[in-house]
Amino acid sequence: MTDLILTEKFSVAADFAKALGVNKKGDGCFEGADFVITWAVGHLVTLLEPDEYDPSLKKWKLDTLPLIPATFEYKPIKRTYGQFKTIKKLLTQRSFGRVIIATDAGREGEVIARTILLKAGFLDKARILRFWTSQALVPEVVRNTMKTLRPMTDYDRLWRAGYYRQVSDWLIGMNCTRVLTVRLKDLFSVGRVQTAVLALLTDRKKAREQFVPQTYWTLNILFTGDKGNWTASWFKDKETRLTEKKEAQALYQRLTDETSPGQVQSLTKEKKKELPPLLFSLTDLQQEANKKFGFPAKKTLNLAQGLYQDKKCLSYPRTDSRVLGTQNLDMVQTIIQKLSTAYPDIFTGIKSQRVSLSNKRVFNDAKLTDHHSLIPFKPLSPSASSDEKKIFDLVMRRFAAAFHGDCEFENTRVVTLYANETFQTRGRVILVQGWRQVYQATRQDKDLEELIPPLVQGDRAIARKINLEEKQTTPLPDYTDALLLKDMTNPGRYVSQEAIKKFFRGDMGIGTQSTRAQIIETLIARKYIVRSGKKLLATDKGSYLVDMLRRCPISSVLTSPSETARWEMDLNRISLGEDTNTQFLVKIKQFVTRAVNELKTAEFELKNFKADAPMVMVGKCPACGNPIKETKKAYTCDNRDCQFVIWKKIAGKSLSPKMAGNLLKYRKSGPFKGFYSKKKKRFSASLILHQQEGKWQVAFDFAKPDSPSGATPKTKETTTPRDPVCPLCGGQIIEGKKGVGCTNWRPEKGNCLFVIWKEISGKKLTSENIETLLKGKTTRPYVLKDPKGNKFKAKLRMIQTADRGFAIHILPEKGSLEGVVSQIPCSR
């Protein structure tokens, strides 16, 4: 007898048809002798709107609230009604031996299938079976899994949890949105999960706005001895900073006046091991992709879904597991064999003893949920896009790292006693790369850290340079997708009581693996938050909604991440089958009734968010020629497909339309005062508009016009010190052992490779030399050496190269060796 297979998408139905030899294409289905394969288009049915229960509810009025239907009913979605009609016709007009649910193996996939069957009137549970796998749907996997179909009732727990989620979201959304919209006289969408996430963003915004920086001072000494140099930081007990200016200056003066050398008081070394990272869950992957590539969570999910569904090289992505099951051992051995051939550099060094069931960090049934962790299945197709390659590379390297050895390193701590004060130096040396060798190819040269000489207790320490540095505390950073996903995953982060923290231990948080990305996009669509580069920022409207809800003791629960996480944990217990006699919906209905009655009479302050600021044209886009218009946060291109933008606030300074207009017209604007460095120090600079790697970017220009003839140069006392800034990206310049480089070298901070090496052609550059080069000026002549050791005189100057990079240009003097060395790239 013929069986009917119901998949979630056409492409999946095509995979089944290929695997099962079903070649005939029918109307909305594939037809064969043994199987008819049809597909949904995501959700084909949805819950009724209030006015579809009662036409009088079309108008939003307070006296009709709360809305709590006696039974919840579904309707076909108009946009995809044709496909629903096809499935219903198949179910009602033809007799099938079995109906096989093959939608995505998860809570959402279960809801999609069950609601279609429910609305189509097919209720014969005895004939409904479930196809379930995390593997890519290649023909062999499809055929093998078809031999292990399970009764639909085994997954009733998922359907129950999914149904409760749908209904609870409807109850809270429909009721609270209506009552607040009527009361506040503007559309205010409220959600069981989205409002709690919005509260995280508004709280972060408020904390940053109210943050008052505290000034403190740190003391560092560059010591020198018989075995070399080392830098040490002042500490006393557990304190590493001084909070009183007089105390800091007095200590600095006492140290400066000290003439006796210090000595190494103690040196401790400790060997440690760092275990390989756990495998990826979806949220972990989304965080990593946002840190490294700036991908929004939604984009990462879509890319992973495509690699699973279309390229067949990743496992099912919507998983919250970081482990595999013990039954996956044979599969893993086969995968490693495949990938080792295609990517030998990454898989060389795998420990055979780690590819075994004794490796509980990987194979652990106790921590396994419905799907195992996200892993690669086969080499990536050459046709994959560059973004797909990035996501696949993240997953593949994490998978390979899990089977490598531990990273072994040695931590060193030196305590130096000087003028009866203690100073500490910390260092770390990797002894055995272990799993970290997997990431060697993607890591930048990190040799900007000072190495500790082979000191021993009692070694003399002469203070070569004493540095008192004034600093300020900084607020918590603005949320990015990565930081927000991290806090959404672990609600223990935002509760203070230890008892509740214990209750929340684990990975259950706000939303689910598959919905968190959509929650962020929904908040953006509602204009509650905006995406500014990598940052996610709450708008005034979003902050206003949270403030109004928090005036109400009952309704304020919607703004509580911890309470929302409790609901999510209840749903999770239901989906796991741990809670079969739940009162979840009863409690939700009670909450909605009490919240609506409270919101009907609460005292609110009305604000108008409807009137948008008028758009002002400030110039033409350098990328596409379309008008650049002023918006609330930036000057953006009128062409939606163009991503050109000039942010209104750069390094703490606001840009007026005139400043932006000059920048667009002349490619330079300024110089301006009032910029702030990352260390909260003021500086002046011009802004320039230039292309880098094909993209137009705004950067700082510190070149000053020549002083007028006869002008008196400023003295040290009247000159404001300014931190050196990277000419490539505007980042902070820091000094290391071999050179000075940009702090934005990490991939998540921009992958800036700028560096000036401290030794060039045999000449060791001083701090003054490097400062001269960073200013774009030419040094005086120095004696240099060519590769053969021949000496010659030349000046040095930093220039911009044809590829928009920078290099140190060597200018030999007349009569000196010429053309031997032309320039040294300023790149790691």
Side-chain angles (χ1 to χ4, degrees), residues 41 45 117 160 185 216 365 456 522 553 566 621 690 705 751 825:
V41 189
V45 299
L117 296 176
R160 191 180 298 113
K185 303 186 185 307
Y216 66 94
D365 289 339
V456 296
T522 298
R566 285 180 188 269
C621 177
H690 69 111
N751 199 25

Side-chain angles (χ1 to χ4, degrees), residues 198-237:
L198 174 61
L200 288 174
L201 288 147
T202 60
D203 288 347
R204 180 60 57 89
K205 176 186 177 183
K206 188 176 294 184
R208 286 180 59 82
E209 290 174 345
Q210 296 176 352
F211 179 79
V212 178
Q214 302 295 317
T215 303
Y216 66 94
W217 290 261
T218 60
L219 260 167
N220 300 303
I221 297 183
L222 174 61
F223 288 112
T224 186
D226 297 336
K227 298 172 183 175
N229 303 327
W230 68 100
T231 301
S233 303
W234 175 90
F235 78 100
K236 188 173 184 179
D237 298 325

Side-chain angles (χ1 to χ4, degrees), residues 25 31 45 67 90 180 211 222 230 237 288 316 319 342 368 436 438 473 551 554 587 609 628 633:
K25 179 75 164 57
E31 295 193 52
V45 299
L67 303 169
L90 288 169
L180 281 173
F211 179 79
L222 174 61
W230 68 100
D237 298 325
E288 193 72 8
Y316 181 71
T319 175
L368 189 66
R436 285 190 173 273
V438 172
T473 55
R551 294 187 176 193
I554 298 170
K587 294 176 183 177
F609 296 96
I628 296 292
K633 299 278 186 181

Side-chain angles (χ1 to χ4, degrees), residues 304-472:
Q305 185 73 22
L307 290 169
Y308 159 71
Q309 186 177 298
D310 303 326
K311 300 293 191 296
K312 308 291 188 297
C313 60
L314 287 191
S315 62
Y316 181 71
R318 299 168 190 257
T319 175
D320 57 3
S321 288
R322 294 188 175 107
V323 297
L324 300 168
T326 54
Q327 76 276 13
N328 299 131
L329 178 59
D330 291 342
M331 177 185 73
V332 167
Q333 291 171 336
T334 302
I335 292 170
I336 290 176
Q337 191 174 2
K338 285 182 186 176
L339 297 178
S340 296
T341 304
Y343 311 101
D345 293 344
I346 296 174
F347 284 84
T348 298
I350 279 182
K351 302 292 185 184
S352 58
Q353 61 269 31
R354 290 284 169 99
V355 191
S356 69
L357 297 184
S358 62
N359 185 356
K360 294 298 182 183
R361 285 179 66 80
V362 174
F363 302 99
N364 193 332
D365 289 339
K367 294 186 177 181
L368 189 66
T369 56
D370 285 325
H371 296 282
H372 61 63
S373 59
L374 220 171
I375 62 173
F377 277 143
K378 66 177 184 179
L380 183 63
S381 166
S383 65
S385 68
S386 61
D387 286 346
E388 286 177 324
K389 289 176 182 176
K390 290 176 180 177
I391 294 299
F392 180 81
D393 187 71
L394 286 180
V395 177
M396 179 182 60
R397 288 181 188 274
R398 180 66 68 94
F399 176 75
F403 301 105
H404 277 68
D406 299 340
C407 173
E408 299 178 23
F409 57 92
E410 184 178 69
N411 283 338
T412 303
R413 181 175 184 255
V414 177
V415 176
T416 305
L417 185 65
Y418 184 77
N420 291 323
E421 298 289 338
T422 49
F423 298 81
Q424 64 179 344
T425 306
R426 293 184 181 274
R428 174 174 171 172
V429 177
I430 293 180
L431 305 174
V432 178
Q433 286 283 346
W435 62 267
R436 285 190 173 273
Q437 74 183 64
V438 172
Y439 295 94
Q440 282 296 95
T442 63
R443 295 170 67 195
Q444 301 300 322
D445 179 8
K446 297 183 179 180
D447 194 15
L448 286 174
E449 296 181 1
E450 187 172 21
L451 296 177
I452 301 175
L455 302 169
V456 296
Q457 185 176 354
D459 278 347
R460 282 163 50 91
I462 299 172
R464 181 175 167 187
K465 184 178 181 182
I466 303 172
N467 182 38
L468 176 65
E469 190 171 2
E470 180 181 313
K471 297 182 179 181
Q472 286 189 318

